[in-house]
């Protein structure tokens, strides 16, 4: 368990904040030696209900919406196929179980969970005040449908459009989000976030927060946290320190209550200890990360903060002030259900899916550990090569059979300055033992596709 918590340090960003982008072109066909993909009953129903992703050579189609390709298009068919799975809407999937529990806790918030993952660059970055040179905008980190449209990298991409409705004082957004990343048991190109938004009428702030006119309770935290919530340097110019303090206190009490309610389902958990850490997000200030002492380790759960007033103003909420949080659902589910490999959430093997039941927290019982098969590949890299580009090739060719990819050697030629990289790919299926013939065929496809798509020189 301790090892799994350490692995989770890297699992899917928990805040509504950090985003990263990607680079790839047309996905090759899957290796024919792999078994045909079999959907479980729930997955098949979800896929049948979802709009088609049929894509013509000149367009990209995401859940029934078509977009023109251009020079920025890097999303692959492998990734597009994931958009119809919608694990957060499948009742017995651990992702949905966590989602349902949090929605029950915030029962006066309006839930939103079926928005199309294709969003504009403005929605994903500009509306959230991301700098023009923010690394999250890079093709190496984000899946671009075209230069103006991406697969959302966080649920915050929908923050402004949801608040613009002024339908409720609180919202819970749940969605699949997409980021180009490395390959290992704690990273996946698709994961799920939940975002909570709570706003208040600025003229009735004290009344709506329910503290009377006494803000002293805001300081009744341990000494370690006092300066975190009362730092005047982080208060937005358009907010008074008292407003920021009240909103921050309401956020703290709400989120600590939610975490206690959620992790309290685990009989192994005793009295929870919290740690609040000041941080920076472009769309909140002040901003914090919440960590909890869980099974002997400090586990980062979520990012949060006071919403930038500029975002509220531009969404038609200049009369309101509020807070927001974002958490990675897989991060919490892997700990609570003892799931050791993030790929398992996507498994349709009944030995996995049959273990979980709506609204119940159970420990995952491993059904087998199949042997791994390691294969190395080395090549000279062209100018502009990024490790995530190679990860995309492996994902397209090997799919979930690739357990992890590690850079094991890097060499710079002393005379020419050319760079050579050597990667080790660990192939391991979750439902069976792979044959040497299968792995050799997959590795050959990886080599061939890398050479053609990435213009590397194989060694």
């Amino acid at each position: 368990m301790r090892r799994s918590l350490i692995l989770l340090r890297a699992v899917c960003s928990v805040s509504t904040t950090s985003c990263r982008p990607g680079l790839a072109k047309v996905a090759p066909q899957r290796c024919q030696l792999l078994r045909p993909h079999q959907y479980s009953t729930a997955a098949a129903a979800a896929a049948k209900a979802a709009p088609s992703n049929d894509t013509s050579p000149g367009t990209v189609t995401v859940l029934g919406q078509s977009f023109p390709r251009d020079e920025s298009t890097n999303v692959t068919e492998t990734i597009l196929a994931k958009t119809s799975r919608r694990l957060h809407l499948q009742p017995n999937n651990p992702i949905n179980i966590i989602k349902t529990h949090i929605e029950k806790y915030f029962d006066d918030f309006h839930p939103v969970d079926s928005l199309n993952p294709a969003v504009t660059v403005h929605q994903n970055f500009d509306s959230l005040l991301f700098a023009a040179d923010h690394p999250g905008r890079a093709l190496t980190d984000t899946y671009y449908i075209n230069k103006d449209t991406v697969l959302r990298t966080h649920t915050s991409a929908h923050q402004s459009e949801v608040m613009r409705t002024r339908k409720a004082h609180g919202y819970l957004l749940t969605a699949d989000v997409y980021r180009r990343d490395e390959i290992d048991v704690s990273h996946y190109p698709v994961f799920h976030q939940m975002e909570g938004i709570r706003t208040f009428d600025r003229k009735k702030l004290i009344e709506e927060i329910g503290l009377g006119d006494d803000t002293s309770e805001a300081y009744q935290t341990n000494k370690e946290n006092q300066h975190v919530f009362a730092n005047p340097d982080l208060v937005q110019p358009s907010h008074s320190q008292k407003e920021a303090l009240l909103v921050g206190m309401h956020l703290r009490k709400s989120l600590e209550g939610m975490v206690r309610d959620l992790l309290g389902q685990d009989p192994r958990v005793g009295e929870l200890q919290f740690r609040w850490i000041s941080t920076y997000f472009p769309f909140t200030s002040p901003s914090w990360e919440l960590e909890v002492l869980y099974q002997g380790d400090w586990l980062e759960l979520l990012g949060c903060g006071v919403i930038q007033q500029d975002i509220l103003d531009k969404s038609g909420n200049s009369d309101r002030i509020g807070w927001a949080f974002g958490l990675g659902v897989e991060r919490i589910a892997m700990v609570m259900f003892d799931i050791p490999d993030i790929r398992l959430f996507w498994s349709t093997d009944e030995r996995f899916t049959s273990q979980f039941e709506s609204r119940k927290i159970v420990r995952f019982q491993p059904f087998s550990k199949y042997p791994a098969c390691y294969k190395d590949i080395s090549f000279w890299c062209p100018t502009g090569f990024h490790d995530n580009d190679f990860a995309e090739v492996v994902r397209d060719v090997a799919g979930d059979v690739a357990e992890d990819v590690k850079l094991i050697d890097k060499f710079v030629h002393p005379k020419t300055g050319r760079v050579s990289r050597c990667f080790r790919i660990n192939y391991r299926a979750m439902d069976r033992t792979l044959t040497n013939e299968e792995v050799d065929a997959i590795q050959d496809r990886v080599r061939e596709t890398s050479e053609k798509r990435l213009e590397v020189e194989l060694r």
Side-chain angles (χ1 to χ4, degrees):
M1 182 63 188
R2 189 177 185 89
R3 177 177 176 274
S4 67
L5 285 172
I6 294 172
L7 286 172
L8 285 171
R9 299 298 183 198
V11 162
C12 19
S13 165
V14 293
S15 71
T16 60
T17 66
S18 53
C19 343
R20 302 172 293 226
L23 178 68
K25 296 177 185 174
V26 180
Q29 295 180 348
R30 289 185 179 274
C31 178
Q32 297 301 309
L33 291 174
L34 295 179
R35 289 181 176 177
H37 192 66
Q38 299 294 321
Y39 283 104
S40 66
T41 302
K48 185 176 180 181
S52 170
N53 282 331
D54 291 342
T55 298
S56 67
T59 63
V60 174
T61 302
V62 183
L63 299 183
Q65 285 188 261
S66 294
F67 306 87
R69 292 177 179 268
D70 62 20
E71 68 282 354
S72 296
T73 303
N74 65 6
V75 64
T76 67
E77 298 300 324
T78 300
I79 298 302
L80 290 173
K82 302 290 187 184
T83 61
S84 62
R85 290 291 302 276
R86 301 190 289 188
L87 302 186
H88 60 289
L89 300 181
Q90 296 181 20
N92 295 328
N93 191 288
I95 301 297
N96 178 268
I97 296 172
I98 297 294
K99 167 185 179 287
T100 302
H101 193 96
I102 294 175
E103 287 178 341
K104 184 179 179 182
Y105 182 81
F106 290 111
D107 59 0
D108 58 340
F109 282 36
H110 178 67
V112 180
D113 59 16
S114 299
L115 296 170
N116 194 304
V119 300
T120 66
V121 170
H122 177 80
Q123 285 176 289
N124 201 74
F125 298 118
D126 301 332
S127 72
L128 296 166
L129 311 181
F130 278 82
D133 60 350
H134 191 282
R137 295 176 182 262
L139 284 167
T140 51
D141 289 4
T142 292
Y143 290 107
Y144 276 78
I145 295 171
N146 56 41
K147 64 182 178 63
D148 299 316
T149 314
V150 299
L151 290 180
R152 61 186 166 224
T153 63
H154 46 194
T155 49
S156 298
H158 301 287
Q159 188 180 98
S160 291
E161 66 179 288
V162 168
M163 290 195 298
R164 193 172 289 116
T165 68
R166 294 179 66 98
K167 183 178 292 186
H169 64 257
Y171 305 88
L172 276 179
L173 286 65
T174 310
D176 43 339
V177 299
Y178 299 78
R179 300 182 190 174
R180 297 185 85 213
D181 212 336
E182 59 193 289
I183 298 176
D184 59 36
V185 296
S186 61
H187 289 83
Y188 204 77
V190 191
F191 58 98
H192 298 78
Q193 283 188 343
M194 287 194 76
E195 174 158 344
I197 303 167
R198 177 65 161 93
T199 66
F200 308 88
D201 185 330
R202 295 185 74 171
K203 294 181 179 179
K204 302 178 181 178
L205 182 59
I206 293 177
E207 176 186 339
E208 292 189 5
I209 284 181
L211 291 174
D213 196 31
D214 182 11
T215 59
S216 62
E217 185 179 348
Y219 294 94
Q220 293 176 11
T221 61
N222 60 53
K223 292 182 179 180
E224 179 184 4
N225 288 333
Q226 284 182 9
H227 71 283
V228 175
F229 285 92
N231 187 344
D233 295 335
L234 299 176
V235 175
Q236 299 173 43
S238 57
H239 295 164
S240 69
Q241 185 174 3
K242 183 176 182 179
E243 284 180 316
L245 186 62
L246 286 168
V247 173
M249 185 189 65
H250 190 277
L251 174 152
R252 176 175 60 84
K253 295 183 70 173
S254 299
L255 297 187
E256 288 186 1
M258 180 269 289
V259 172
R260 284 193 179 94
D261 184 69
L262 181 63
L263 298 185
Q265 304 298 304
D266 190 336
R268 300 170 298 182
V269 176
E271 182 65 26
L272 289 174
Q273 296 182 44
F274 297 99
R275 184 163 69 184
W276 290 89
I277 300 173
S278 290
T279 189
Y280 168 79
F281 303 136
F283 33 79
T284 56
S285 185
S287 302
W288 306 282
E289 289 176 344
L290 172 59
E291 296 183 351
V292 61
L293 189 61
Y294 185 84
Q295 299 292 296
D297 287 280
W298 283 105
L299 177 65
E300 181 188 327
L301 286 183
L302 54 86
C304 59
V306 179
I307 301 170
Q308 286 282 0
Q309 194 60 41
D310 185 55
I311 295 175
L312 286 161
D313 294 348
K314 290 178 179 177
S315 64
N317 289 274
S318 58
D319 59 330
R320 303 187 72 78
I321 188 173
W323 54 256
F325 76 87
L327 59 82
V329 185
E330 279 87 345
R331 176 188 293 267
I332 295 175
M334 289 179 80
V335 171
M336 294 191 66
F337 293 93
D338 276 351
I339 296 174
D341 191 322
I342 197 170
R343 295 176 297 166
L344 283 166
F345 292 108
W346 297 85
S347 174
T348 57
D349 190 317
E350 289 189 358
R351 290 173 296 178
F352 177 78
T353 59
S354 64
Q355 294 191 35
F356 307 102
E357 186 177 344
S358 181
R359 300 181 184 276
K360 291 186 178 180
I361 306 296
V362 297
R363 307 274 83 73
F364 168 62
Q365 300 299 318
F367 40 83
S368 188
K369 182 71 169 178
Y370 296 96
C373 181
Y374 295 94
K375 296 287 183 180
D376 293 347
I377 178 174
S378 60
F379 46 74
W380 294 105
C381 305
T383 302
F385 175 87
H386 193 283
D387 289 358
N388 284 352
D389 301 338
F390 180 64
E392 286 303 304
V393 168
V394 176
R395 284 194 180 97
D396 285 345
V397 175
D400 287 350
V401 168
E403 182 172 276
D404 61 58
V405 176
K406 296 180 180 178
L407 178 66
I408 60 172
D409 187 54
K410 180 179 178 181
F411 169 73
V412 180
H413 195 284
K415 293 184 178 180
T416 66
R418 297 181 71 192
V419 178
S420 172
R421 282 176 166 82
C422 181
F423 291 93
R424 176 160 294 165
I425 307 172
N426 174 17
Y427 295 103
R428 191 201 308 265
M430 295 180 289
D431 61 347
R432 62 195 173 95
T433 298
L434 296 171
T435 66
N436 288 330
E437 291 78 12
E438 283 181 297
V439 175
D440 287 342
I442 296 170
Q443 182 72 359
D444 287 344
R445 287 290 306 281
V446 169
R447 290 175 60 84
E448 175 187 344
T449 305
S450 297
E451 191 172 32
K452 291 181 178 178
R453 186 190 299 182
L454 305 180
E455 298 181 350
V456 300
E457 182 183 332
L458 296 173
R459 300 184 64 186

